[in-house]
């Protein structure tokens, strides 16, 4: 899809506030409400807008801790990787998981309530996942930047 500056503006505004009304969005991008809605629908149909969601405050829901965990899998077979990837989907404390090129196989972002909670996740969950050979954890001290907005 070819995007113009208005499409980019719509995407930037929706990333900041997915609950903005179509009327307000249209006003901010200088379009009629119907033209704006048509553009939003085209952006959705083209897959540029993946989904609408809300963000929770991790500290307020009792999950202020963030750990980034490097996980190495014992065997590098397609089956071993697929099995790990299927199982990691069911771990609620894992909010992101990336397959890597490098020393470890996966980078996993874990949220937790306190050190005892992370110890439980580490020993009872992460190390028990199929094929896990090594787990190395990086604990964050504080959040410096967090955004879900992509540059468009």
């Amino acid at each position: 899809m070819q995007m113009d500056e208005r499409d980019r503006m719509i995407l930037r505004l929706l990333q900041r506030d997915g609950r903005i009304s179509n009327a307000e969005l249209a006003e901010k991008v200088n379009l009629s409400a119907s033209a704006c809605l048509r553009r939003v629908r085209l952006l959705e149909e083209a897959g540029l807008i993946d989904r609408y969601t809300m963000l929770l405050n991790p500290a307020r829901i009792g999950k202020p801790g963030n750990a980034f965990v490097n996980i190495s899998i014992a065997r590098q077979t397609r089956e071993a990787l697929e099995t790990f990837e299927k199982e990691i989907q069911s771990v609620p404390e894992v909010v992101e998981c990336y397959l890597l090129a490098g020393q470890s196989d996966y980078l996993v972002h874990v949220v937790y309530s306190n050190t005892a909670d992370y110890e439980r996740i580490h020993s009872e969950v992460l190390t028990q996942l199929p094929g896990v050979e090594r787990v190395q954890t990086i604990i964050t001290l504080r959040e410096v930047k967090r955004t879900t907005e992509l540059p468009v």
Side-chain angles (χ1 to χ4, degrees):
M1 174 180 178
Q2 287 287 78
M3 285 196 309
D4 63 15
E5 187 51 38
R6 272 208 179 106
D7 292 326
R8 287 181 191 76
M9 218 168 166
I10 288 169
L11 291 173
R12 283 192 294 270
L13 290 165
L14 284 172
Q15 283 188 102
R16 279 189 211 115
D17 181 6
R19 293 182 62 186
I20 189 172
S21 71
N22 184 61
E24 187 178 350
L25 182 61
E27 183 180 318
K28 289 186 180 210
V29 296
N30 297 317
L31 287 172
S32 69
S34 61
C36 183
L37 185 58
R38 192 169 35 257
R39 281 184 182 241
V40 170
R41 295 287 185 249
L42 286 171
L43 292 166
E44 291 170 343
E45 289 167 11
L48 292 164
I49 297 175
D50 184 44
R51 65 186 175 271
Y52 295 89
T53 189
M54 71 170 177
L55 300 175
L56 299 176
N57 180 317
R60 298 256 171 124
I61 63 162
K63 299 288 183 188
N66 287 283
F68 291 89
V69 185
N70 288 298
I71 296 179
S72 297
I73 303 298
R75 294 185 9 244
Q76 301 298 307
T77 65
R78 180 181 307 250
E79 181 183 327
L81 297 177
E82 287 174 355
T83 300
F84 174 83
E85 290 173 14
K86 181 177 178 276
E87 292 297 318
I88 199 82
Q89 300 296 322
S90 66
V91 181
E93 296 88 355
V94 171
V95 294
E96 295 177 281
C97 178
Y98 300 94
L99 178 64
L100 304 176
Q103 290 185 332
S104 58
D105 298 308
Y106 292 95
L107 177 64
V108 177
H109 179 189
V110 175
V111 294
Y112 60 93
S113 57
N114 54 42
T115 53
D117 187 36
Y118 181 73
E119 182 180 5
R120 176 194 61 79
I121 295 164
H122 180 277
S123 61
E124 296 176 18
V125 180
L126 298 177
T127 59
Q128 303 306 308
L129 289 168
V132 170
E133 181 176 59
R134 189 176 69 230
V135 174
Q136 293 181 307
T137 302
I138 301 166
I139 301 288
T140 65
L141 298 177
R142 70 181 161 91
E143 184 178 279
V144 176
K145 178 181 179 180
R146 177 172 69 122
T147 184
T148 60
E149 294 179 34
L150 297 174
V152 288

